[in-house]
Amino acid sequence: MRRTRIAGAVLLAGTVTGLAAGPAQAQEYRYWSFWDGKGGSWAYATEGPATQRPADGAVEGFRFTVGADSAGAGKPRPAAGFDAICRDTPPKDGRKRIGIVLDFGTAADAPGGERPPKARTECARVPEDASAGEALAAVARPLRYDANALLCAIAGYPKAGCAEAVNGSKDGAKSGAKGSGSSAAPSAGAAEDRADGDDGGGGSGDGGPSAGLLGGAAAVVALGAAAVWQARRRRG
């Protein structure tokens, strides 16, 4: 009887961890993705806006999109050109200028009942040590965050929801986004307190989901480890 239980526990562990390693349909999420403007083009950011501290002349993009990872995320459609975005914002001692591109996505990616605003660009003039999240707060209020400091809405869009699962899944991403390319950011108050309120007049008008995938994988691994531990304890 004991051997049967041990075999069953080990089989459970192998089955559960096998699910984590095996192929599965990637869950897609509706979220704000974060991008670096490099050489006039876009690259998925390697860290979140809360920790990224761009230099004067950088361009950061935010795109509301639906995807499971960086490969499926839509890039910001406006060009990543600093000179065009910040041409009307002169340099200022003790400040840096960051071009901000806001792409609210397509109607197909919008939550039910909402219509995405038109894409726009802004020039944020912020303290020299400001993060990308603080630059965003200077020009795109109101921002909305969840309890895990995941960026849910920019300039009030969308009105509700945060990194929700799509394609019929009932489970959303409830934990904070991963550091790479996510829209995890400091609390709204922390970012807005550092903004100097100067949007530079350069406007032309206004990661994440991976946390759900990583959280699911972590749970799978934990279940497998628990089964193995239980089998060993019974054996002892």
Side-chain angles (χ1 to χ4, degrees), residues 15-223:
T15 301
V16 175
T17 54
L19 288 174
Q25 183 178 359
Q27 174 63 63
E28 292 188 321
Y29 295 85
R30 182 181 289 113
Y31 72 108
W32 277 101
S33 58
F34 177 43
W35 301 79
D36 291 328
K38 296 182 178 180
S41 61
W42 294 108
Y44 205 71
T46 57
E47 59 182 298
T51 57
Q52 184 155 304
R53 301 190 182 279
D56 181 78
V59 178
E60 306 297 341
F62 296 83
R63 165 75 186 263
F64 194 72
T65 186
V66 170
D69 51 34
S70 60
K75 296 181 179 180
R77 289 167 291 181
F82 175 80
D83 291 339
I85 296 173
C86 289
R87 62 183 171 220
D88 297 325
T89 305
K92 185 177 181 180
D93 290 343
R95 303 285 181 184
K96 62 183 178 183
R97 296 168 299 161
I98 307 298
I100 300 292
V101 173
L102 304 175
D103 187 338
F104 297 87
T106 66
D109 290 344
E114 294 201 54
R115 178 178 298 178
K118 292 182 179 180
R120 80 188 208 204
T121 61
E122 302 285 353
C123 187
R125 188 159 57 189
V126 291
E128 292 178 335
D129 64 343
S131 68
E134 290 167 335
L136 176 67
V139 297
R141 300 173 184 170
L143 305 180
R144 178 167 56 84
Y145 300 84
D146 73 356
N148 297 300
L150 178 66
L151 180 58
C152 304
I154 295 176
Y157 182 82
K159 295 179 181 178
C162 194
E164 299 160 314
V166 297
N167 294 342
S169 173
K170 295 181 180 180
D171 296 325
K174 299 301 183 182
S175 58
K178 69 178 182 178
S180 177
S182 73
S183 290
S187 66
E192 294 180 7
D193 285 346
R194 287 179 51 80
D196 68 357
D198 181 1
D199 65 6
S204 61
D206 188 330
S210 297
L213 299 178
L214 292 176
V220 166
V221 173
L223 285 172

